[in-house]
Amino acid sequence: MNKITLSLLFLILAVKGFSNENIQKVFKAKKNSDKVSFFRSLSNEEKADDIYFFKAEFSTLVKQNLTNYVVKKPFLFALGLIDQIQNQNLEAISKFNELLNFKNYNLSKRETMDIYVALQECYLKLNLYSKVFDINKKINTLIANGVDYPLWSYNIQSRLYLQLQQFDKAISQLKSEITLLYKNPKRDSLIIPSAYNDLGYYYHLKKDYKNALSYYNKAIQTATKSLKPTNPFAYKSILLSSKSNIANLHLDRNEFKKTISVINEDILPKIENKNTPIYIQSYLMLGEAYLKTNKLKETKDIIEILEQICCFNEVKLKIQLLELQSSYYEKKEDFKASLKYTSEIKHLKDSLLSVQNLNLLKSTELNYFIENKEKEVTAKNQIIEEKEKTNLIIIIIGLIALLTISFFAFQNNRRKRLEIEKMNTSISKKNEEIKISLHEKELLLKEIHHRVKNNLQIISGILSLQNNSISDEKAKQILIDGQDRIQSIALLHKTMYQNDNFNMVNFQNYCNELITYIKQANVTINKNITIHQDIENVPFNIDTAIPLSLIINEIITNCYKHAFENKTEGSISISIKKQNDGCYKLIIEDNGNGLPENFNSFENSKSVGFDLIHGLCQQIDGELIITNNHGTKITMQFKEQK
């Protein structure tokens, strides 16, 4: 018997994802544009179970869109795939060629690739190898143009060599195909184990049992890593397929005990559906192994089990059962019964041979039919080419006239272009001069900010020297306040010349330096005062930045001086945030003693600092709100000055 379990076209799934009713229900609920993709996503077994339902549905959709070729083409392609599944390859080829040859279908490169792959499969089944090679060239052209090749059609080329019994070429080709699969990031987890299983099968046909067993085991190992944790159904399928191939390999090597062990321990306990070909194939191999080891009782039990299977309609499996029965009765020396089964085998083989001969005849007829069609297409293309030549002559005459007109226009444009080029050259020179001048001005502006900062610090230093010579504490404090205000402006100019943009101040960075300076200037008060900052990273121009910096300096300095009298510690918070209306909000808050009870407003205050805050606030169109509750909170909403 020694027939190898095939895994080349698809894995035999022991468990299905949908019941027939569920598939039909989901299909009908889909939009027409999604029905073909849903159909193609199903396994071959699921398609086969509902094949007549799908054929009726897609036939109806084709009839409803007879003249709308763009809508019709996916449904016609699906009907071709259904013909393929039903082994009606001639009808499938006819539909695929209609899609390829009729320009109204306006196929994309992706759609053309799908049709070529399906067409190649049909030619392979019909043993039309020359056509397979022709299609393969067209597929390679599409691949060279960047069209993705359907992953699960990866082994068509190696299968072609296999059918031609060129095993070395088939093995070499399949190894190349596996290398390409590893490089493809779109591959799924099932495809690599399946490919290794196929490679083991190729070595098996070559009778290189050592390499065959190695790749069968590699298929199982790869599936265990990539499939077992994520897709147990697919893992179970590849495991059963590979184990069945291993059992058959042991049978071919007359290692009958190993065959029996693999089937009884690794295959039969894992098969739930008893009507699948893999279940029948396993029992046939088990029966042959028992027979070879003279375990006639076990062989008889297996024959009885197989005779009871309801769906035993696969001719090749039926022949294998008859061969097992014939061999069994020959061992029992019941030659009459053995001869009976031998006669049935001969009858079935003759029928199978007739079918194969009929298919071969059909293949020959199809080849003749296809060649005639190609000749017709060639003739039509020649007629089209002649018409195109005539049109080309007319176009050439028109182009000559157009070129003559264009020549005179070109001369005129050339003269104007030269004038424009001269103007552009002049403009470029002026732009370069402006660029150099702008750079010089930027350097000058940076130097000005630097010198202003230095001059302000010199003034601050002079005030400090003057302060040392004054004994009046009130005058000394006035000079210190003046120093602080001058220093806040100096820090602003320092921040500006350190920026790339000299017209804008990064106020977050500036506030960090200003607050650091204020802390250092008031270090002598010996109080633990914490300043919290919540300042958005917003840039201000100098017209806004100078008044705002002086306001912040005045308020925080005032907090240090007056807010925490009779206290050893405190906190000040400052925040600047942009509002939805484009204005900005400044909030400075402390947890100190608060303002005096008789304090009414900035306007009525006799303090220079408050007068300065009020005046600077008006300068930036600001509005001040003072809240006095467990400390002082000053809120100012202002606009950036243009």
Side-chain angles (χ1 to χ4, degrees):
M1 181 173 62
N2 293 358
K3 301 294 181 183
I4 297 173
T5 303
L6 300 180
S7 65
L8 295 173
L9 300 179
F10 53 83
L11 296 172
I12 300 170
L13 297 176
V15 182
K16 294 183 182 177
F18 291 102
S19 67
N20 291 10
E21 291 182 1
N22 281 343
I23 288 177
Q24 294 182 16
K25 186 177 179 181
V26 172
F27 180 87
K28 288 182 177 179
K30 295 281 183 183
K31 296 179 182 178
N32 288 346
S33 57
D34 297 330
K35 287 182 175 179
V36 173
S37 58
F38 173 74
F39 169 75
R40 295 183 69 184
S41 70
L42 299 173
S43 69
N44 281 358
E45 290 83 2
E46 290 169 330
K47 292 174 186 173
D49 286 345
D50 288 303
I51 200 70
Y52 296 107
F53 164 77
F54 287 125
K55 192 164 190 173
E57 289 289 325
F58 285 124
S59 296
T60 301
L61 290 169
V62 167
K63 289 176 183 177
Q64 291 173 353
N65 298 279
L66 283 176
T67 57
N68 191 341
Y69 296 101
V70 175
V71 176
K72 174 185 170 185
K73 65 181 174 182
F75 306 136
L76 186 61
F77 178 63
L79 285 176
L81 296 178
I82 290 170
D83 288 337
Q84 249 187 346
I85 295 169
Q86 294 180 309
N87 286 322
Q88 297 172 354
N89 292 294
L90 301 179
E91 291 81 356
I93 289 171
S94 176
K95 290 181 176 66
F96 296 146
N97 278 328
E98 179 185 339
L99 288 166
L100 290 170
N101 295 328
F102 198 38
K103 291 184 178 180
N104 285 6
Y105 285 113
N106 193 24
L107 299 174
S108 67
K109 290 182 179 179
R110 173 73 262 177
E111 291 167 338
T112 304
M113 173 67 86
D114 289 340
I115 294 170
Y116 278 150
V117 170
L119 199 56
Q120 191 178 44
E121 185 74 34
C122 290
Y123 288 142
L124 191 61
K125 289 180 180 178
L126 294 171
N127 301 322
L128 296 174
Y129 302 126
S130 62
K131 295 295 180 187
V132 175
F133 281 114
D134 288 342
I135 294 294
N136 195 57
K137 289 178 183 176
K138 295 175 181 178
I139 288 174
N140 287 334
T141 301
L142 287 174
I143 292 172
N145 289 329
V147 182
D148 287 337
Y149 187 69
L151 282 175
W152 277 99
S153 300
Y154 69 93
N155 61 349
I156 286 182
Q157 187 73 24
S158 58
R159 284 167 51 203
L160 174 59
Y161 289 126
L162 192 71
Q163 285 190 211
L164 295 170
Q165 296 188 354
Q166 297 180 13
F167 300 126
D168 289 331
K169 284 187 176 181
I171 290 169
S172 176
Q173 178 64 30
L174 183 53
K175 285 182 177 179
S176 299
E177 290 161 351
I178 291 172
T179 301
L180 291 175
L181 286 177
Y182 269 113
K183 292 178 181 178
N184 194 324
K186 297 180 182 178
R187 69 179 188 277
D188 58 41
S189 300
L190 176 61
I191 197 167
I192 295 294
S194 178
Y196 280 134
N197 196 26
D198 291 346
L199 189 54
Y201 168 71
Y202 288 10
Y203 275 114
H204 198 158
L205 287 181
K206 191 186 174 186
K207 301 190 184 302
D208 184 347
Y209 298 126
K210 182 179 179 181
N211 277 317
L213 183 59
S214 173
Y215 280 106
Y216 288 149
N217 285 323
K218 193 166 185 177
I220 295 171
Q221 292 168 3
T222 309
T224 303
K225 289 181 181 178
S226 61
L227 284 174
K228 191 174 182 180
T230 58
N231 192 342
F233 290 155
Y235 169 72
K236 184 176 181 180
S237 301
I238 192 70
L239 180 66
L240 287 174
S241 180
S242 299
K243 286 290 185 182
S244 182
N245 285 339
I246 290 172
N248 219 323
L249 183 145
H250 290 315
L251 194 62
D252 287 347
R253 298 176 71 174
N254 296 325
E255 298 171 347
F256 305 120
K257 289 184 179 180
K258 290 184 178 180
T259 301
I260 294 168
S261 174
V262 171
I263 293 173
N264 282 330
E265 295 175 12
D266 299 332
I267 299 177
L268 293 178
K270 292 181 173 62
I271 300 177
E272 297 175 12
N273 187 350
K274 308 303 181 185
N275 292 325
T276 56
I278 195 170
Y279 180 81
I280 299 167
Q281 182 73 51
S282 299
Y283 263 111
L284 287 168
M285 288 190 290
L286 188 60
E288 183 174 352
Y290 280 141
L291 188 62
K292 295 290 186 181
T293 53
N294 293 318
K295 294 182 179 181
L296 300 181
K297 182 183 180 303
E298 288 84 350
T299 306
K300 179 62 176 174
D301 292 341
I302 287 174
I303 290 172
E304 289 175 354
I305 291 171
L306 291 172
E307 287 175 340
Q308 293 173 3
I309 293 176
C310 63
C311 304
F312 209 85
N313 52 10
E314 176 66 42
V315 177
K316 291 183 180 180
L317 294 178
K318 181 67 175 176
I319 290 173
Q320 291 178 33
L321 175 58
L322 291 172
E323 288 174 343
L324 180 61
Q325 290 169 319
S326 176
S327 300
Y328 168 75
Y329 284 109
E330 186 178 346
K331 281 265 187 183
K332 295 271 291 184
E333 296 185 354
D334 186 349
F335 299 110
K336 184 177 179 181
S338 177
L339 183 61
K340 171 192 170 186
Y341 290 116
T342 303
S343 299
E344 286 188 43
I345 292 168
K346 183 177 182 305
H347 174 71
L348 282 175
K349 285 185 175 180
D350 288 343
S351 300
L352 192 61
L353 184 61
S354 297
V355 171
Q356 290 173 345
N357 289 335
L358 181 61
N359 286 337
L360 183 60
L361 180 61
K362 283 185 176 180
S363 297
T364 306
E365 292 175 352
L366 177 64
N367 202 21
Y368 176 75
F369 170 77
I370 291 171
E371 287 176 356
N372 284 338
K373 281 289 184 183
E374 288 175 349
K375 289 178 181 177
E376 290 178 10
V377 171
T378 302
K380 288 179 180 178
N381 287 337
Q382 287 177 348
I383 294 171
I384 292 170
E385 286 176 3
E386 289 177 1
K387 289 182 178 179
E388 288 177 347
K389 285 180 181 178
T390 304
N391 292 335
L392 185 61
I393 292 170
I394 295 171
I395 291 170
I396 290 172
I397 294 171
L399 284 174
I400 291 171
L402 183 62
L403 286 171
T404 304
I405 296 170
S406 299
F407 175 76
F408 292 106
F410 172 77
Q411 292 294 333
N412 186 43
N413 288 337
R414 186 168 178 271
R415 179 177 53 80
K416 291 181 178 179
R417 188 172 64 250
L418 290 172
E419 293 175 359
I420 292 171
E421 285 177 356
K422 289 179 180 179
M423 291 175 64
N424 286 339
T425 302
S426 176
I427 292 170
S428 296
K429 287 181 179 179
K430 289 181 180 179
N431 286 340
E432 189 64 28
E433 292 173 0
I434 292 170
K435 187 177 179 181
I436 293 169
S437 175
L438 182 62
H439 180 66
E440 291 173 351
K441 287 178 181 178
E442 286 177 350
L443 291 175
L444 181 61
L445 187 59
K446 184 174 183 179
E447 181 63 21
I448 288 170
H449 281 300
H450 185 64
R451 292 196 179 191
V452 168
K453 188 265 295 185
N454 289 342
N455 290 338
L456 288 171
Q457 287 183 332
I458 290 170
I459 295 170
S460 177
I462 292 171
L463 291 176
S464 179
L465 290 172
Q466 186 68 39
N467 198 356
N468 292 334
S469 63
I470 297 175
S471 57
D472 186 353
E473 290 297 325
K474 187 174 181 180
K476 287 174 73 71
Q477 186 59 47
I478 290 170
L479 287 177
I480 289 170
D481 291 344
Q483 276 185 269
D484 291 344
R485 290 159 187 158
I486 291 169
Q487 191 64 33
S488 68
I489 298 173
L491 285 174
L492 192 66
H493 283 281
K494 176 186 175 183
T495 302
M496 290 186 73
Y497 78 68
Q498 288 176 344
N499 284 349
D500 292 333
N501 187 347
F502 303 121
N503 295 321
M504 304 298 290
V505 179
N506 185 321
F507 215 73
Q508 188 181 63
N509 294 341
Y510 168 72
C511 282
N512 289 334
E513 290 203 33
L514 178 61
I515 289 168
T516 300
Y517 169 76
I518 293 173
K519 285 181 178 179
Q520 292 172 350
N522 293 277
V523 72
T524 57
I525 66 173
N526 294 323
K527 293 184 180 181
N528 184 19
I529 298 174
T530 305
I531 299 180
H532 302 282
Q533 298 181 61
D534 183 14
I535 300 171
E536 290 184 355
N537 189 14
V538 291
F540 289 121
N541 59 39
I542 194 166
D543 291 335
T544 304
I546 289 177
L548 188 60
S549 66
L550 289 170
I551 289 170
I552 293 170
N553 177 71
E554 290 297 323
I555 294 174
I556 294 179
T557 302
N558 188 69
C559 289
Y560 266 92
K561 289 179 181 178
H562 306 294
F564 305 106
E565 289 182 1
N566 302 321
K567 289 187 177 184
T568 59
E569 61 181 22
S571 68
I572 304 169
S573 64
I574 174 171
S575 73
I576 301 175
K577 292 187 178 181
K578 188 172 185 178
Q579 306 300 300
N580 293 332
D581 59 358
C583 293
Y584 295 87
K585 181 178 284 188
L586 166 68
I587 300 175
I588 301 178
E589 186 175 6
D590 65 59
N591 62 350
N593 300 320
L595 293 169
E597 292 181 0
N598 59 355
F599 183 85
N600 294 324
S601 66
F602 283 118
E603 291 90 335
N604 299 325
S605 172
K606 296 180 180 180
S607 167
V608 175
F610 284 145
D611 289 344
L612 183 61
I613 291 170
H614 179 67
L616 293 170
C617 180
Q618 289 181 334
Q619 189 174 333
I620 54 176
D621 299 327
E623 295 180 6
L624 278 171
I625 299 174
I626 302 173
T627 307
N628 197 13
N629 184 18
H630 300 294
T632 304
K633 179 180 179 181
I634 299 176
T635 304
M636 182 179 74
Q637 187 158 316
F638 62 95
K639 297 178 181 178
E640 185 174 12
Q641 301 304 295
K642 302 299 183 183

